Every structure is written in structure tokens, then in C-alpha cells.
Amino acid sequence: MSEYLPGLEGVPATQSNISDVDGERGILSYRGYPIEDLAERSTFEETTLLLLDGELPTARRLEEFTQELRQNYRVKYNIRTLMTALPSTGSPMEMLQAGVSALGMFYPGNECLTDSDSCTDRDYVDNMTVKIIARMPALVAMWEHIRNGYDPIPPRPDLPIADNLLYMFYGEEPDPLLAKIMDTCLILHAEHTTNASTFATLVTASTLASPYAVISGAIGTLSGPLHGGANERVVEMLREIGRPENVKTWLDKQLDRKQKIWGFGHRVYKVKDPRAKILQKLMERLPAERGGQLSPLFETAIALEEAATERLGHKGIYANVDFYSGILYMELGIPIDQFTPLFAVSRSAGWLAHWHEQLSDNRIFRPTQVYVGEPLRRYVPLKERS
């Protein structure tokens, strides 16, 4: 191919059987299972195994995997010491990227850096997968306490990942509804075909770099506001709007200035993101089951979605997953700059599934380019240049 397509839009970069998106009909599936079924009936642990193994696990396989994860929740005190040396004002995503890289130095498993054959050994791959998925939630929650000057709350090996994550944030077992919401958010963000961070995963994995380097690179890619950071921008946007009655005036100004409406539009979906539909329903459950009223932020979001859909829907621009995920995290009491790290905790399942798949039939990525520079020319000695 000699045609340059910016962003590689529409160019197949790999073959995969992990997930699929039908953007015209708004369908997302993991290994053939609709995301709606998994969000309602599965758990993050089971969904992770589905992504990794290709099939829904047996009860025994799920129990063994769950126990392996729980045995690896804790991280060594050296990691905590390292985190205390980081500036408290630093980005949680930069901390997470540094923390995951550091895990590779404190835990065994970097054999493939010196022996390429061990990179594809099944025991090595499975072992590294468990260590990374189990410990990323601890890194995120530890930072929330450390950056505020407190000791982190140790993980509870008797709790599932979603419950444990909230427990490590707040020091008490979460309300079952809030734990279900967190678990569902983790499922919805776990995988989404060959997006930017997954492509970064594939490229890094193809060099047979360690899995810690692979996931660190993916975290760095996810941190950008055009990828994982968009849900933070949505909350900032809704706060700027203030109230539902301000929506139309604000939207008119944004569209007149050709400014981005955060949480709207998607490279793949031409209808409303199915994950956004699920998150919206979860948001509606909160006041219904807890006897309260809708969050003011949520009321503003509903008004904005209606107005923006009316203005932009004919162009195939609808609400995406980022539009409601940030509002839900706010309801869970999660600080706004921790939204994207939670996205990374979830997406580690998909990244590692793609890591497995890449290693199973590996070839290092080496795309070509369309050269638009100068033709061959003579070198001019310094004293002859004017």
C-alpha cells in the first residue's frame, strides 16, 4: 500500500477473536457474548477469564482464578516507599505507569528479557497476567492515600476485585449496589477491539518486551484526553454548564465555535454506544433504590444528551461510554483524576488478552511510511553555506 490514511483509519492492523464491534447497530461483544448479558449476569473476574481463555469458565476454573488473584492483591513495601517519593501533585496516571514498570523490577518474571523462548511459555504468561491484573487496583487505591499523606489501606483477600477496590479507597465494605456498579463499570471498560492503547499493547508485545513494559506503554497511551481521559473532561464540562436550563445556550456557543462536546462521537459507533446505555440505566437505579433524587450533574447530562443528539444525531454523533462513566464514578466518591486509572485497571484484562494473542503468533510490527521529504541532495560544507 502506498496510500497514507491518517490514524490508520480503517486499516486492519491485526486479526483477533477477542471482541467485536458493529458500529452501525451499536453492538459490542466479548468472545461472541453481548456486552449487555455480561454486564447484567457476569462479574469482572469471570469476564476477565472469558477474554483470556476464549470461553466462559467452569465453576472450578473461576474459583481457582479468583483465588490466584486474591493471593496476589498485596504489593511489596518497596513499591509503597517508591510511591512516597513521588510528588503528591503528580498525575495518578503517571504514577500508575511508573508503578506498573516498578512491579517488573520487584517481582520475578522478567526471564524473557534474556531468554526470548520464555516469553511465550504458558506458565510464564499466565503467571504474569495474574500478577498484573491483581495488583493494579492496589496501586490506584494506595496512591489516593499516599498523596494525601496517609498510609494505604491493605487489600482484603476475601473480597472480589470491585468490592476490594472500593474498600481500599474508603476502609469499609461498600454498599452492594455501589459494588455492583463498580463491577459493571470494570466489565464495560475491559475490552474494545483495537483501540489506541490496545494497538500500543500489540506493538510493544511484538518486540517480546516484558508484560510490565507492555502494560506500562498501554497506560501511557490511555492517559490522553482523546482516549481514556475523556470522562474527566465530561465532568469538567458538565460542571461548567452548571444546570439543565443552561444546556442549550452553552451548546449553541460550543457548536458555533466548532468546539468538541466531550463524551460525544466515536470513531466506530454511528449510534449510541451500548456501554453508555448500560451506564445510564445504572445511574437511574441509584435514586430509585436509595430513595434519593437524581444527581444535579446527571440531570444536566440528560439535558445535554437530548439537546446534542437533536443537533448532531443526523451526523452519527451520539453519547459514548465516557459520557456517563465519570458521573457514576463521582457518585461512588472517586476523585475526578482517578477516573482514568480505574479505566486502566479494567482495560488491563483486555490488554493482557491481546498480549496472549500476539505472542501466540508473533511478528514484530514494522509498518512502512509515505516519504514526503526532500529528494537526495549534495552535502554542503559549513563554510560554503550562506
Side-chain angles (χ1 to χ4, degrees):
M1 289 182 62
S2 58
E3 181 184 3
Y4 167 58
L5 297 175
L8 299 180
E9 185 168 4
V11 178
T14 188
Q15 292 189 129
S16 178
N17 56 22
I18 297 173
S19 67
D20 186 41
V21 172
D22 183 334
E24 298 294 332
R25 295 191 295 164
I27 298 173
L28 169 63
S29 60
Y30 296 172
R31 301 287 191 179
Y33 292 95
I35 192 63
E36 292 82 0
D37 290 349
L38 296 173
E40 180 181 355
R41 305 170 66 180
S42 188
T43 63
F44 178 60
E45 286 84 348
E46 181 183 65
T47 298
T48 297
L49 260 188
L50 170 65
L51 292 171
L52 295 170
D53 291 355
E55 299 290 344
L56 288 171
T58 63
R60 179 177 178 180
R61 169 70 173 132
L62 179 58
E63 175 62 21
E64 290 174 348
F65 181 68
T66 299
Q67 290 307 315
E68 287 176 8
L69 289 172
R70 295 183 182 189
Q71 290 167 8
N72 284 278
Y73 278 172
R74 297 170 64 195
V75 298
K76 293 184 177 180
Y77 76 90
N78 311 70
I79 301 292
R80 180 178 65 181
T81 302
L82 176 66
M83 292 169 71
T84 61
L86 300 175
S88 60
T89 55
S91 161
M93 280 297 278
E94 291 175 345
M95 176 286 303
L96 186 59
Q97 188 174 28
V100 169
S101 294
L103 287 177
M105 300 182 72
F106 288 110
Y107 291 92
N110 282 340
E111 299 91 344
C112 74
L113 294 178
T114 55
D115 178 11
S116 61
D117 289 339
S118 69
C119 287
T120 56
D121 178 76
R122 184 57 191 255
D123 289 339
Y124 168 83
V125 170
D126 290 346
N127 187 31
M128 292 298 98
T129 297
V130 167
K131 289 181 183 299
I132 292 172
I133 292 175
R135 288 173 177 141
M136 283 183 65
L139 294 178
V140 173
M142 286 170 66
W143 180 244
E144 187 55 33
H145 296 287
I146 289 173
R147 69 173 175 171
N148 287 301
Y150 299 104
D151 288 329
I153 296 172
R156 285 262 304 269
D158 60 315
L159 295 177
I161 285 180
D163 299 62
N164 184 54
L165 184 53
L166 291 173
Y167 170 77
M168 288 188 291
F169 262 96
Y170 307 118
E172 57 185 33
E173 288 191 44
D175 176 280
L177 175 58
L178 299 185
K180 171 58 180 174
I181 288 174
M182 175 58 75
D183 193 58
T184 303
C185 286
L186 294 177
I187 291 171
L188 295 179
H189 286 98
E191 163 64 7
H192 204 253
T193 71
T194 313
N195 50 77
S197 57
T198 299
F199 185 51
T201 297
L202 297 176
V203 173
T204 311
S206 76
T207 70
L208 298 187
S210 84
Y212 297 106
V214 170
I215 301 306
S216 176
I219 291 169
T221 308
L222 184 69
S223 66
L226 295 183
H227 194 5
N231 53 12
E232 298 180 26
R233 299 297 198 280
V234 169
V235 171
E236 294 167 357
M237 175 184 70
L238 294 174
R239 284 175 169 172
E240 178 187 334
I241 294 171
R243 300 192 57 77
E245 54 266 30
N246 301 335
V247 161
K248 289 192 175 181
T249 301
W250 180 90
L251 181 61
D252 287 341
K253 290 181 180 178
Q254 287 293 103
L255 295 179
D256 288 344
R257 294 181 297 196
K258 302 188 185 306
Q259 296 294 308
K260 186 174 180 62
I261 312 299
W262 291 103
F264 267 79
H266 196 281
R267 183 71 69 87
V268 178
Y269 294 112
K270 305 307 177 187
V271 294
K272 186 171 180 177
D273 188 329
R275 299 167 298 174
K277 294 180 180 179
I278 296 169
L279 292 175
Q280 183 177 351
K281 290 179 181 178
L282 282 176
M283 194 72 213
E284 291 167 349
R285 279 182 60 185
L286 276 172
E289 296 193 19
R290 301 175 77 188
Q293 294 192 350
L294 286 175
S295 157
L297 215 62
F298 185 54
E299 291 181 330
T300 303
I302 292 293
L304 178 59
E305 184 185 1
E306 290 176 355
T309 299
E310 183 179 334
R311 297 286 299 275
L312 302 171
H314 67 283
K315 298 180 180 180
I317 299 175
Y318 294 88
N320 60 43
V321 68
D322 297 310
F323 191 70
Y324 287 111
S325 63
I327 308 172
L328 269 171
Y329 288 144
M330 290 282 290
E331 290 298 311
L332 294 177
I334 304 295
I336 188 170
D337 62 355
Q338 290 277 34
F339 294 174
T340 311
L342 289 181
F343 191 161
V345 166
S346 171
R347 187 55 60 86
S348 64
W351 290 335
L352 288 161
H354 283 277
W355 178 58
H356 287 207
E357 195 172 62
Q358 180 65 34
L359 294 181
S360 69
D361 186 24
N362 187 56
R363 186 174 184 183
I364 189 170
F365 275 84
R366 180 51 171 96
T368 187
Q369 64 174 16
V370 176
Y371 179 65
V372 294
E374 297 289 341
L376 287 173
R377 47 185 174 168
R378 184 180 71 87
Y379 177 81
V380 180
L382 182 59
K383 63 182 180 180
E384 295 179 17
R385 298 175 208 162
S386 58

